[in-house]
Every structure is written in structure tokens, then in C-alpha cells.
Amino acid sequence: MKRINLIYFSPSGSSNSIASEIGDNFSGDKVRYDLLRQTFEEVTFEKNELVIFAFPVFAGRLPAICLEKIAKFKGKDTPAIGVVVYGNRDYEDALVELVDILKENGFKTIGAGAVIAEHSIFPTMAKGRPDEKDREQILNFSNKCKDMLSLISEDMKIEVKGNRPYIDSKPIPLIPKGNSKCIKCGACVKICPVGAISIDDPKKTDKKKCISCTACIYICPERARGFSGPMYAAAAKTFESKNKERKEPEFFYADK
Ligand SMILES: Cc1cc2nc3c(=O)[nH]c(=O)nc-3n(C[C@H](O)[C@H](O)[C@H](O)COP(=O)(O)O)c2cc1C
């Protein structure tokens, strides 16, 4: 492969590291497209490149903010791997949505997966994941995708779990804010993908703009941002008790 391209949106870092783990198994120059920190004009990939897409699941779908961003990347029958990362609740229609977009944009998806990582809003859910067992499965997936590269054909197709039409995308009614530890460094202001935090008063968050992505929480050097309040505590309790059972990663491959 001439180039291995990693395209991801990863507010709390898991999609980024899972994309890297898959990509590290392939030889070829690595090019990273961080859709949280950078903006891109249209990019077209050739047939002799591989593109790995990794996105978090937000309310059972791809984050709405990513749709326009992903549309900038086009393939010319370019092989692709699509992964969604979720916090042990469910990934519903996020993976089928990703695979559909990749097809529409000229990619040939050879493998797709749904992988579990720590829940970025309720971090006690799926704590420590992906763990060793997950990593073994991710490596196995990556190896199988490598084998698929030599088997790509005109009419190969991939079927993944999920429904069409996709479930409705619902906003999350939980908004992170800053506390007294905030030193006004501006890191959260800079990383916020929707401009919901003002440099004059970064402890506040514009509720109308915020998409609850958690980028501001994970970037804060003072750990001064987070979710709080009785509504969050109640939601955390319900979520944790409903989703205790360990989910396993699921992988899908194109038929030859
Ligand atoms: C707004 C929002 C919605 C989420 N919705 C879901 C969900 O529907 N199902 C689930 O299992 N996890 C959900 N999660 C958890 C993330 O999918 C999970 O933590 C993922 O690892 C985050 O990826 P990242 O580390 O690349 O940001 C949600 C997280 C956020 C911030």
C-alpha cells in the first residue's frame, strides 16, 4: 500500500487510538486526518491507498457534526476499513450509516467493526476498555482486513448490523461546564468543535451550541471541566445499572 490514511473524530481519544492500532498493522506511510483539530478541503484517495475511518457512536448514530466532514473524503474504489467505537450501551445504526457513506463516497469497505471503549460521558462504563482481550480481537480484525486487500473485486459487498432508515439522532441533555479550578488557559475554547465556550468565561457552556462531545473535558489540563448535578448523577446510575453486561466487539467482512 502506498499510504495508510487514518481519518477520525475522537473527542476522548479512543477512536483515534483504535484507528492507530489497526493502522500500525499495515506497512506504508501513515497520514492522519484529525477531524476534531483540523479542517480539510476535499481529498481524493487512490486505489493503491488504504483509508481507516474511526468514529464514536453518539446516541446510536455517527455524530451529526461528522457527516459534513466525512463527505470531504472521496475514494476511487479505494479500500477502506470503517470502525465505530461505543461505550458498552449499543451502537444501533452507526456502523451501517458509516458503511453507507463510504460506499456513496467511492470507497470499497473490506472490513467494518464496532468496538467498545470507556464511555466518555459515564466513564465507569466500560472502564479500562479496550482491554487485552479487545486488543487481540482488533489485531485479528486488522490481520483479516490485510488478507482481504488482495481479494478486492468489482462487485464485493459488505453487510453490517444496523437498520435503514436509521434511528433518529437525539441530542444529549447533559452539558459539561467548568469549575473553580479553571485557569482560563483557553484549551477548551480552542478544541470545542462548535464554538460553545467563550474565552471570557470558559466555565460557562452555550447550551444551544454544545453537542456534549466531551472534547473540552479531556483536553483540560486542570481537570476543571465535567458533567455534574442531580440530572447527571441520576442518568449515570440508570445507564450503569442497565448496561452492566459486557458487550464484545463485532466485526464484519466484505464477501469476495
Ligand atoms: C454525546 C455522546 C453520545 C454517546 N452515545 C453513546 C451511545 O449511543 N451508545 C454507547 O454505547 N456509547 C455512547 N457514547 C460513548 C462513546 O461512544 C464512547 O465513549 C466512545 O469511546 C467515544 O469515542 P472517542 O473516545 O473517540 O471520543 C456517547 C458519548 C457521547 C459523548
Side-chain angles (χ1 to χ4, degrees):
M1 280 284 131
K2 188 175 144 206
R3 226 176 276 125
I4 312 299
N5 304 280
L6 311 181
I7 301 180
Y8 51 87
F9 176 82
S10 189
S12 75
S14 302
S15 307
N16 175 350
S17 59
I18 289 165
S20 302
E21 233 164 284
I22 296 169
D24 284 349
N25 197 29
F26 290 85
S27 54
D29 290 343
K30 307 283 177 324
V31 182
R32 308 181 74 89
Y33 296 87
D34 182 334
L35 305 191
L36 177 65
R37 290 173 175 79
Q38 300 161 278
T39 47
F40 298 94
E41 293 309 316
E42 206 165 294
V43 183
T44 303
F45 300 101
E46 301 298 327
K47 226 174 175 167
N48 60 356
E49 302 186 63
L50 172 69
V51 188
I52 300 167
F53 291 87
F55 294 93
V57 175
F58 280 10
R61 296 279 304 273
L62 291 179
I65 189 175
C66 291
L67 302 182
E68 218 176 285
K69 294 176 191 283
I70 306 175
K72 297 259 168 72
F73 298 97
K74 309 277 188 210
K76 288 181 176 170
D77 279 346
T78 309
I81 296 174
V83 174
V84 295
V85 182
Y86 72 105
N88 203 57
R89 188 191 64 75
D90 200 349
Y91 64 95
E92 276 117 347
D93 302 335
L95 190 60
V96 71
E97 187 178 15
L98 178 58
V99 165
D100 285 350
I101 293 172
L102 298 187
K103 186 176 175 200
E104 206 167 291
N105 290 356
F107 293 95
K108 282 227 171 282
T109 302
I110 53 172
V115 176
I116 298 92
E118 195 165 291
H119 199 296
S120 50
I121 299 184
F122 307 115
T124 53
M125 272 171 65
K127 191 148 199 67
R129 297 190 69 186
D131 57 17
E132 215 169 299
K133 192 177 167 206
D134 293 313
R135 292 221 156 78
E136 242 172 64
Q137 296 188 65
I138 293 167
L139 181 62
N140 185 38
F141 168 63
S142 181
N143 278 328
K144 281 197 180 161
C145 288
K146 212 191 237 175
D147 294 343
M148 300 281 305
L149 282 175
S150 55
L151 304 168
I152 294 176
S153 65
E154 261 316 294
D155 50 359
M156 78 194 298
K157 272 204 256 60
I158 188 164
E159 299 284 342
V160 301
K161 205 172 100 182
N163 296 300
R164 301 182 188 91
Y166 318 132
I167 55 162
D168 282 340
S169 171
K170 289 196 190 82
I172 307 286
L174 298 167
I175 306 293
K177 54 182 192 229
N179 63 30
S180 57
K181 287 194 278 181
C182 173
I183 54 166
K184 284 195 172 187
C185 68
C188 57
V189 179
K190 198 167 156 214
I191 198 93
C192 176
V194 292
I197 309 167
S198 140
I199 188 68
D200 301 323
D201 192 0
K203 280 192 228 159
K204 284 194 193 147
T205 309
D206 185 329
K207 282 189 193 130
K208 285 197 186 118
K209 290 185 181 165
C210 178
I211 56 164
S212 314
C213 75
T214 74
C216 59
I217 300 175
Y218 288 88
I219 199 82
C220 178
E222 301 298 317
R223 295 173 175 259
R225 292 187 68 83
F227 297 99
S228 56
M231 196 170 144
Y232 174 70
K237 211 170 153 193
T238 313
F239 256 76
E240 282 157 17
S241 71
K242 273 193 181 166
N243 301 290
K244 270 201 185 100
E245 199 181 315
R246 179 186 169 103
K247 307 263 165 55
E248 294 298 339
E250 289 169 72
F251 299 108
F252 307 87
Y253 302 93
D255 60 10
K256 290 159 234 164

